[in-house]
Amino acid sequence: MGSDALSLVLQHGAEESETISDENLRDLALELLFAGYETTASAACSTVNLLASNQHVLKKAYTEICDNGLDDLDQMLTFESLGQLEYINNIVKEVLRLLPPIGGGFRKSLK
C-alpha cells in the first residue's frame, strides 16, 4: 500500500479488522482533497488580495525579502531561508486569522 493519508487509513482499518463503509470512505476522500488543495489555494488568494489592498505591508514584506537576499531569482529557497522571514510569517498568520480557509468543521453526531 502507499504512504498517502487515504492508504494509511485503509491500512489501519485492515490491521484492526475494521471495515470502512463506502460512505465514510467517500467522505474521508473528499475531506482529504478539500483540506489539501482548496485550503492552500484559498489562503494564497486571500494573502494576495490583502497585500494588494495594503501596499505599505507589501512594501515592508518586499524589503524583508531583499534584506535576506531572497530577491535573486537564481537563488534556491530553503526552509531555513524562509524561516528568517518573520514579518512575512506574521502576514500569513494574520491572513489566516482574518480569513480562515475553513469556517468550521462538519461532522455527524453518532449518539
Side-chain angles (χ1 to χ4, degrees):
M1 256 196 199
S3 60
D4 59 279
L6 191 55
S7 294
L8 292 173
V9 168
L10 292 173
Q11 181 180 350
H12 176 74
E15 289 171 1
E16 299 295 321
S17 299
E18 296 175 5
T19 58
I20 300 174
S21 72
D22 288 344
E23 183 180 353
N24 284 344
L25 191 56
R26 184 196 71 227
D27 290 345
L28 177 62
L30 286 172
E31 189 173 312
L32 290 171
L33 178 65
F34 180 75
Y37 173 74
E38 294 293 332
T39 55
T40 303
S42 175
C45 287
S46 295
T47 302
V48 170
N49 186 34
L50 288 173
L51 284 173
S53 60
N54 293 282
Q55 291 293 311
H56 65 287
V57 175
L58 179 61
K59 288 177 185 174
K60 192 170 177 181
Y62 183 70
T63 300
E64 183 179 50
I65 289 170
C66 293
D67 289 348
N68 284 282
L70 299 174
D71 56 332
D72 181 2
L73 297 179
D74 294 327
Q75 181 177 334
M76 246 348 216
L77 286 177
T78 63
F79 283 114
E80 184 179 280
S81 62
L82 290 174
Q84 298 171 359
L85 304 175
E86 292 180 33
Y87 186 70
I88 291 176
N89 186 34
N90 290 335
I91 290 171
V92 172
K93 288 178 182 176
E94 185 65 5
V95 169
L96 293 174
R97 184 186 73 80
L98 292 172
L99 301 169
I102 298 176
F106 303 98
R107 301 280 186 243
K108 281 186 197 174
S109 176
L110 298 177
K111 293 184 180 180

